[in-house]
């Protein structure tokens, strides 16, 4: 096994040393004023990063737990929804809805492209009985950022609520829940928040609360009312992953200290630099529009086995990147640049990528790639979402 351990995956992401330290402290009991203070403060800081005044609740689960909570709490069997998707994660909304017996109108774009807000507008006009529109901020499987701001403008004029999977996008791509008219936003601890997997979060607007009251779907662990009741006292209805909440509190403090805007700008710059490095290598980006700052998805060159590339980088060089999911398996690879992933991590990642590509007989020039990477970082380019 190589000694090096560099994680360049879009979740889990590396942890800052300050967060790692929290995780080695003796375990805390959660029903104490001290724990409530931490939960209350962490929730308040979460509202700052969601940019919302809405309620936010913490569930002990991976991100999908909060996705499920944002379906079962607002709908009744037979209700109609729109699931807009252009990749593996967006498809999860449609899958989940069919599991619960919700009628689903699917609005799609090809992989590598963004959802067209006009298509959502059209679907809403044709289906005025739609209760909720489900979309994704960053489609992690393709590296595309969907235009939530434009979609929010459309949905907020209707009776439907807008639910956004911001699991990977939050803290990497710009996201403004209230200003954009988003009713429910969902995220997880293991991506931009720089905490291990195990916590998920979802916010609930007043408009969404009205749908909760009408919802007849059966739920127990995910019942919003239980979370609301407990949160009145900065508490959780069941044993929270308290260690992770303490770590979350630390990570949010770090982000707050740096400033959300600066944090987003740094991520945007690393993303932009990584894209430039890939292009300099003669590689093609998979995302064709609205490229996200979460992860760069790259087309595996003809004649190269994408699975082998990922495996050699990980097992022989200690650099873990992500392969493609589903039908993109072997055809793309993904390099993340969110959270605590640093310039140095990415530099080593690009060097190793070049070495392995050359070994697999794809000629590329590492010096060119690193020069392109550094040129962007030196140019002080500002926050950039699309290319
Ligand atoms: C990671 C991710 C999820 C959540 O997956 P979990 O494995 O349940 O944490 C959901 N949506 C997107 C866009 C993601 O990137």
């Amino acid at each position: 096994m190589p000694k090096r351990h560099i994680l360049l995956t879009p979740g889990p992401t590396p942890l800052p040393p300050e967060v790692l330290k929290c995780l080695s402290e003796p375990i805390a009991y959660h029903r104490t004023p001290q724990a409530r203070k931490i939960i209350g403060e962490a929730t308040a800081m979460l509202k700052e990063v969601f940019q919302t005044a809405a309620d936010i609740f913490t569930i002990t689960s991976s991100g999908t737990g909060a996705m499920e909570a944002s379906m079962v709490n607002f709908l009744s069997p037979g209700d109609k929804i729109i699931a807009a998707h252009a990749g593996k994660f967006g498809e999860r909304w449609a899958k989940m809805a069919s599991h619960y017996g919700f009628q689903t109108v699917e609005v799609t774009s090809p992989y590598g492209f963004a959802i067209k807000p006009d298509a959502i507008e059209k679907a809403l006009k044709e289906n005025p009985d739609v209760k909720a529109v489900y979309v994704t901020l960053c489609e992690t499987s393709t590296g595309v950022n969907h235009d939530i701001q434009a979609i929010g403008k459309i949905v907020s004029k209707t009776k439907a609520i807008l639910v956004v999977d911001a699991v990977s996008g939050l803290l990497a791509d710009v996201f403004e829940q209230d200003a954009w008219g988003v009713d429910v936003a969902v995220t997880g601890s293991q991506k931009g928040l720089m905490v291990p997997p195990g916590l998920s979060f979802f916010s609930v607007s007043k408009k969404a609360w009205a749908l909760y009251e009408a919802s007849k779907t059966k739920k127990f662990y995910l019942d919003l009312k239980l979370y609301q009741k407990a949160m009145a006292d900065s508490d959780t209805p069941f044993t929270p992953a308290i260690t992770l909440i303490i770590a979350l509190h630390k990570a949010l403090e770090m982000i707050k200290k740096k400033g959300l805007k600066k944090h987003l700008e740094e991520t945007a710059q690393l993303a932009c630099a990584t894209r430039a490095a890939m292009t300099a290598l003669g590689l093609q980006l998979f995302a064709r529009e609205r490229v996200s700052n979460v992860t760069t998805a790259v087309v595996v060159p003809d004649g190269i086995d994408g699975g082998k590339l990922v495996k050699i980088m990980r097992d022989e060089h200690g650099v873990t990147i992500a392969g493609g999911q589903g039908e993109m398996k072997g055809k793309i690879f993904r390099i993340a640049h969110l959270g605590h992933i640093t310039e140095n991590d990415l530099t080593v990642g690009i060097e190793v990528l070049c070495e392995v590509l050359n070994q697999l007989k794809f000629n590329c020039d590492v010096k060119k790639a690193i020069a392109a990477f550094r040129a962007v970082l030196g140019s002080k380019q500002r926050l950039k979402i699309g290319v």
Side-chain angles (χ1 to χ4, degrees):
M1 275 296 278
K3 274 211 192 92
R4 187 195 281 145
H5 177 66
I6 291 182
L7 195 55
L8 298 176
T9 52
T13 61
L15 308 180
E18 296 90 329
V19 172
L20 263 177
K21 188 167 168 288
C22 288
L23 299 173
S24 62
E25 296 289 330
I27 189 84
Y29 179 53
H30 55 287
R31 308 281 185 218
T32 60
Q34 291 82 355
R36 290 201 180 104
K37 182 166 181 284
I38 296 274
I39 294 170
E41 287 176 3
T43 304
M45 288 189 281
L46 274 176
K47 289 185 188 186
E48 291 173 24
V49 299
F50 278 66
Q51 306 207 35
T52 189
D55 300 317
I56 297 188
F57 303 103
T58 298
I59 306 173
T60 300
S61 77
S62 82
T64 306
M67 289 175 76
E68 190 150 342
S70 69
M71 273 203 166
V72 299
N73 280 295
F74 306 116
L75 302 171
S76 301
D79 274 357
K80 197 187 270 183
I81 65 152
I82 290 174
H85 55 81
K88 286 310 284 177
F89 287 101
E91 286 161 16
R92 190 170 290 175
W93 284 129
K95 241 190 220 167
M96 212 181 257
S98 95
H99 180 84
Y100 278 103
F102 307 134
Q103 295 179 63
T104 307
V105 176
E106 300 191 38
V107 172
T108 63
S109 283
Y111 284 16
F113 292 86
I115 297 295
K116 304 272 171 290
D118 291 354
I120 292 184
E121 187 164 34
K122 183 162 171 275
L124 277 167
K125 280 212 179 102
E126 288 168 0
N127 301 276
D129 52 341
V130 158
K131 292 272 169 59
V133 177
Y134 290 84
V135 293
T136 312
L137 175 60
C138 164
E139 174 51 69
T140 323
S141 67
T142 63
V144 170
N145 166 282
H146 295 307
D147 193 348
I148 305 302
Q149 186 173 16
I151 295 168
K153 263 194 196 132
I154 292 160
V155 179
S156 60
K157 285 190 203 126
T158 70
K159 274 198 215 128
I161 59 165
L162 176 59
V163 182
V164 177
D165 168 356
V167 177
S168 65
L170 190 79
L171 285 162
D173 289 335
V174 177
F175 181 70
E176 302 180 18
Q177 173 163 353
D178 291 356
W180 293 0
V182 174
D183 295 291
V184 177
V186 174
T187 199
S189 52
Q190 79 273 26
K191 304 196 178 178
L193 283 167
M194 308 182 289
V195 175
L199 295 175
S200 72
F201 313 93
F202 72 122
S203 59
V204 184
S205 74
K206 285 212 178 74
K207 192 172 167 187
W209 270 114
L211 275 187
Y212 171 85
E213 299 301 338
S215 161
K216 292 192 178 61
T217 303
K218 290 208 171 19
K219 53 252 178 193
F220 183 78
Y221 187 72
L222 297 176
D223 192 334
L224 190 48
K225 264 277 147 67
L226 302 177
Y227 288 82
Q228 186 202 35
K229 213 169 137 213
M231 189 47 87
D233 199 14
S234 292
D235 207 344
T236 55
F238 311 105
T239 306
I242 186 67
T243 312
L244 297 184
I245 295 180
I246 293 167
L248 171 76
H249 185 277
K250 173 58 72 184
L252 285 165
E253 261 183 357
M254 291 170 63
I255 293 162
K256 192 179 166 113
K257 197 166 162 211
K258 180 183 279 178
L260 179 59
K261 186 159 177 279
K262 181 143 188 266
H263 184 84
L264 288 169
E265 279 173 359
E266 285 177 5
T267 303
Q269 266 203 317
L270 288 177
C272 194
T274 304
R275 296 194 282 263
M278 295 304 116
T279 309
L281 286 174
L283 295 168
Q284 193 196 327
L285 302 188
F286 184 72
R288 307 285 289 275
E289 55 185 1
R290 296 192 61 83
V291 181
S292 165
N293 292 327
V294 170
T295 185
T296 297
V298 181
V299 178
V300 174
D302 281 344
I304 304 250
D305 178 341
K308 202 166 162 190
L309 171 72
V310 172
K311 187 175 184 305
I312 297 175
M313 285 181 68
R314 182 189 63 225
D315 297 345
E316 292 178 23
H317 300 272
V319 173
T320 306
I321 61 169
Q325 296 163 285
E327 62 193 69
M328 289 166 295
K329 200 165 182 212
K331 295 181 184 155
I332 63 170
F333 62 85
R334 294 170 298 147
I335 299 179
H337 18 62
L338 75 168
H340 187 62
I341 292 170
T342 63
E343 178 179 342
N344 190 50
D345 293 338
L346 287 164
T347 304
V348 177
I350 292 163
E351 284 167 358
V352 167
L353 172 69
C354 288
E355 189 180 330
V356 178
L357 279 173
N358 277 320
Q359 183 186 332
L360 296 174
K361 308 272 182 280
F362 176 82
N363 283 338
C364 57
D365 181 351
V366 66
K367 281 202 194 91
K368 248 179 153 174
I370 296 299
F373 181 75
R374 297 222 168 106
V376 172
L377 293 182
S379 76
K380 297 276 172 279
Q381 280 188 20
R382 282 302 166 216
L383 204 57
K384 199 172 170 210
I385 287 181
V387 283

